[in-house]
Amino acid sequence: DAGVIQSPRHEVTEMGQEVTLRCKPISGHDYLFWYRQTMMRGLELLIYFNNNVPIDDSGMPEDRFSAKMPNASFSTLKIQPSEPRDSAVYFCASSFPFQGENTGELFFGEGSRLTVL
Amino acid sequence: QKEVEQNSGPLSVPEGAIASLNCTYSDRGSQSFFWYRQYSGKSPELIMFIYSNGDKEDGRFTAQLNKASQYVSLLIRDSQPSDSATYLCAVKKVSFNKFYFGSGTKLNVKP
């Protein structure tokens, strides 16, 4: 089975530009998470969805960030306008809930490395 | 107070030794505990999962959980240079399916 698929893998943009990151979760997983990782702050949860509905967006840094999940197989994270401090690796992850034989573990995509100049 | 605390390291051990990685968490409502390994430039990958008090072994890896002390550890026996990576501890409250990650411990295994 294909894992979590993210695009683009690398993005270099200039301050003020709009950035859109994309994610396709593992088929059948009903939870989708967006994380941001930096050396200073580690892995930070930005937002997560259950069955396409946003459950907790308390980690979204500010109004410049938005996320959508229009269907079970696609999600986007948008930054508009982008700033240099947004430079980080953005990971998308998906999971089943913890029940039965499922550990509820997170499966991560390969990440999108964003550099804002 | 952070939800999950880890020593950032680096932790250096010689090849063949036991590496011991530790993690504490603040919320007694946490119910599932995970150890992820992350190689430089790569995404985290699960290596151990535990939810009951005690030890859980998988090959060279042993996870230990003590809920009374709010403490999780990972032991790596016969450490290999290929084990050199950052190890992330994660805890989850099942009711919310929300994961909290520690900042990670960087492990260096010297040949």
Side-chain angles (χ1 to χ4, degrees):
Chain A
D1 286 341
V4 176
I5 299 172
Q6 292 188 244
S7 65
R9 292 292 310 282
H10 301 275
E11 175 91 4
V12 180
T13 190
E14 293 189 345
M15 182 173 64
Q17 296 298 304
E18 178 179 296
V19 174
T20 299
L21 308 178
R22 298 173 177 81
C23 175
K24 176 178 167 49
I26 293 173
S27 177
H29 282 188
D30 47 10
Y31 285 88
L32 182 139
F33 302 77
W34 282 101
Y35 284 88
R36 176 172 70 176
Q37 188 175 42
T38 61
M39 289 292 292
M40 290 296 294
R41 301 174 68 93
L43 260 177
E44 300 175 276
L45 176 64
L46 300 177
I47 185 171
Y48 78 97
F49 296 82
N50 180 26
N51 293 322
N52 314 337
V53 176
I55 301 301
D56 186 339
D57 65 355
S58 59
M60 296 286 262
E62 49 200 270
D63 292 345
R64 297 185 297 106
F65 286 69
S66 62
K68 294 182 180 179
M69 192 167 185
N71 57 61
S73 59
F74 184 66
S75 177
T76 60
L77 178 68
K78 186 174 292 187
I79 308 172
Q80 166 63 20
S82 58
E83 297 182 3
R85 61 191 167 123
D86 301 330
S87 297
V89 179
Y90 291 80
F91 286 106
C92 177
S94 68
S95 77
F96 286 118
F98 172 42
Q99 61 183 30
E101 295 296 315
N102 291 320
T103 65
E105 70 185 270
L106 283 176
F107 291 83
F108 285 85
E110 294 187 323
S112 295
R113 182 175 294 276
L114 173 65
T115 303
V116 183
L117 302 175
Chain B
Q1 182 183 11
K2 289 184 179 180
E3 294 275 353
V4 182
E5 299 268 10
Q6 290 183 259
N7 188 321
S8 62
L11 172 66
S12 292
V13 300
E15 184 175 355
I18 296 176
S20 178
L21 305 163
N22 304 314
C23 168
T24 58
Y25 60 96
S26 61
D27 190 340
R28 288 189 178 275
S30 302
Q31 294 177 276
S32 299
F33 306 87
F34 304 81
W35 283 100
Y36 282 82
R37 178 177 62 199
Q38 187 176 25
Y39 291 114
S40 180
K42 301 294 186 182
S43 58
E45 57 177 337
L46 181 73
I47 53 171
M48 289 294 287
F49 159 76
I50 188 168
Y51 66 92
S52 298
N53 272 327
D55 294 0
K56 180 180 178 182
E57 187 174 318
D58 184 0
R60 296 186 296 112
F61 299 97
T62 299
Q64 299 174 317
L65 174 60
N66 183 325
K67 290 187 177 181
S69 301
Q70 295 174 243
Y71 176 91
V72 192
S73 65
L74 178 70
L75 300 178
I76 306 175
R77 290 180 300 281
D78 188 22
S79 296
Q80 301 296 309
S82 59
D83 295 326
S84 298
T86 296
Y87 289 80
L88 300 165
C89 173
V91 304
K92 186 172 76 164
K93 304 174 191 179
V94 174
S95 56
F96 297 105
N97 203 47
K98 188 172 179 178
F99 290 75
Y100 296 90
F101 281 86
S103 56
T105 298
K106 186 174 175 62
L107 173 66
N108 291 326
V109 181
K110 299 179 179 179

